[in-house]
Amino acid sequence: MNKFCALTGEVTDLKASHIIPKFFYADLKKKGGCYFRSTYNPKLEHKDGIKIPLLGNKAELLFSKQEKWFKENVFDYYHNKQKTIIQPIKMRNELFYFSVSLLWRSIHYLMHLHPDNFQSAFKNKQIYDLVIDAEKEWKQYLNGGDIPEIYSNIYIATFDNIISEFSDNADLLFYLKRSCDFGVITDNLDIMINCAFFGKCPNFIFFADLLPSTSGDFEYGYLVNNLPEYEKTTFIEDWTINDNRIIECLFERSDLQKSLIEKNPVSSKAALQIVSRIKSTPNFKDSELGQLLKMKYD
């Protein structure tokens, strides 16, 4: 059935659009497991990631071009353990577009989860209004418009330093390495100085500063729009989170994920199916997922 594409506005057949690009899930499969569960609905299995009816074919092709760029120029370098991008590459525009597209899709996923009252996804109306304004500005940019005037401070970070420091915390490592998450990070709700929307993928997180005009001091990671046109960069040195307040928030999100899963356990039948899959997977105990589960339950 024809509906409006959320990006272009055209009436078209909507695709089952990935919120987080498919190559993230393909990598997770290589590291153990073949199905995925959303923190927000742990009982529902996803074979190749979270998808919702969101985009038409034109928008899908537009996003897929930038996803291909990110995979080849950032994602593959990171997972091949080449922590330095050796050759300077044209990065700023492509990385900025990809980052904004992921954050924009993350907002729409939260809209999908709260179809009747999207405002309830946030702690107060001010945050809701900021997110709505950012979505509108990003939509215009993603459709070929100018760089956003207000919500243009976009950051990217990896978790290498956090993973190294808290290598014995199985729940946190599972969250950082294998989970997707979307939401808002903020400080004092009465007088907010720091507030950012985030979209978290396995091993990467993207932030957008929602209060760029304030004197906020959260250090979200690497400011994408500060990149020169061509850049040789180092993931470990430059793309890390060193702000303890943000690290504390990641712990809180990890605890929330654990709580939601414990409150919504899978059925006995589903649990048996999971055990059966694990037993039939060669060398599962040596995989990333196998090692995390061993750490958690030993």
Side-chain angles (χ1 to χ4, degrees):
M1 183 172 65
N2 289 338
K3 291 190 177 181
F4 290 101
C5 171
L7 182 66
T8 66
E10 64 181 339
V11 178
T12 182
D13 290 330
L14 297 184
K15 307 293 184 181
S17 303
H18 281 90
I19 303 302
I20 302 298
K22 188 175 181 179
F23 57 79
F24 278 98
Y25 296 99
D27 182 71
L28 290 181
K29 287 182 180 180
K30 294 177 185 177
K31 297 175 180 177
C34 54
Y35 289 89
F36 310 99
R37 297 177 187 275
S38 165
T39 301
Y40 303 96
N41 186 2
K43 294 184 179 181
L44 181 63
E45 284 188 333
H46 302 276
K47 190 171 183 178
D48 59 353
I50 301 170
K51 296 184 288 187
I52 61 173
L54 182 66
L55 303 174
N57 188 61
K58 180 180 177 181
E60 283 282 351
L61 291 174
L62 186 63
F63 282 3
S64 67
K65 179 181 177 181
Q66 301 302 331
E67 289 174 5
K68 182 175 184 293
W69 177 91
F70 183 85
K71 181 182 184 301
E72 293 176 350
N73 291 285
V74 177
F75 184 88
D76 288 346
Y77 273 96
Y78 179 84
H79 285 287
N80 289 334
K81 302 305 179 186
Q82 293 175 257
K83 299 298 186 180
T84 302
I85 295 179
I86 304 300
Q87 298 298 325
I89 59 173
K90 188 177 180 182
M91 174 177 279
R92 182 179 62 202
N93 295 338
E94 286 78 0
L95 183 57
F96 186 84
Y97 191 98
F98 174 82
S99 304
V100 171
S101 74
L102 189 142
L103 291 163
W104 180 82
R105 281 177 280 182
S106 301
I107 290 175
H108 277 270
Y109 180 63
L110 293 180
M111 289 180 176
H112 178 77
L113 290 179
H114 302 84
D116 300 320
N117 185 12
F118 181 45
Q119 185 175 327
S120 67
F122 305 101
K123 294 179 179 179
N124 61 37
K125 188 176 184 301
Q126 181 186 2
I127 296 175
Y128 165 78
D129 289 340
L130 291 170
V131 171
I132 290 296
D133 287 345
E135 187 278 334
K136 292 177 181 176
E137 193 174 57
W138 292 341
K139 178 179 178 179
Q140 184 177 14
Y141 161 69
L142 293 171
N143 267 310
D146 294 334
I147 294 291
E149 291 184 10
I150 301 174
Y151 305 104
S152 60
N153 286 350
I154 307 296
Y155 300 81
I156 183 174
T158 60
F159 304 117
D160 291 61
N161 60 320
I162 305 174
I163 289 170
S164 176
E165 183 175 354
F166 301 100
S167 59
D168 59 345
N169 189 316
D171 291 323
L172 179 66
L173 295 186
F174 189 93
Y175 174 77
L176 297 179
K177 290 184 173 186
R178 299 193 62 88
S179 297
C180 301
D181 193 13
F182 322 102
V184 169
I185 179 172
T186 186
D187 50 13
N188 191 317
L189 289 176
D190 295 325
I191 307 176
M192 284 194 303
I193 297 176
N194 298 285
C195 183
F197 187 83
F198 70 86
K200 186 208 159 294
C201 312
N203 295 298
F204 289 87
I205 191 166
F206 301 83
F207 291 101
D209 189 351
L210 297 181
L211 291 174
S213 61
T214 67
S215 56
D217 60 351
F218 275 13
E219 297 177 5
Y220 298 108
Y222 200 77
L223 183 61
V224 173
N225 38 326
N226 258 5
L227 283 167
E229 185 69 15
Y230 287 83
E231 170 75 352
K232 182 171 72 174
T233 188
T234 305
F235 287 103
I236 292 177
E237 293 179 0
D238 298 332
W239 292 19
T240 56
I241 296 174
N242 298 300
D243 192 316
N244 287 330
R245 294 164 297 181
I246 296 180
I247 294 174
E248 182 179 346
C249 288
L250 294 174
F251 269 96
E252 291 173 358
R253 297 298 295 189
S254 169
D255 290 341
L256 174 62
Q257 173 181 263
K258 180 181 177 182
S259 173
L260 288 171
I261 293 173
E262 288 175 348
K263 289 178 181 178
N264 298 278
V266 299
S267 66
S268 299
K269 181 180 178 181
L272 289 173
Q273 290 174 339
I274 293 171
V275 171
S276 176
R277 288 185 202 133
I278 289 174
K279 289 181 176 179
S280 63
T281 302
N283 303 316
F284 177 82
K285 64 182 178 62
D286 298 321
S287 68
E288 176 184 87
L289 180 56
Q291 291 295 309
L292 287 172
L293 292 175
K294 184 177 186 296
M295 184 190 304
K296 181 177 176 67
Y297 294 108
D298 268 5

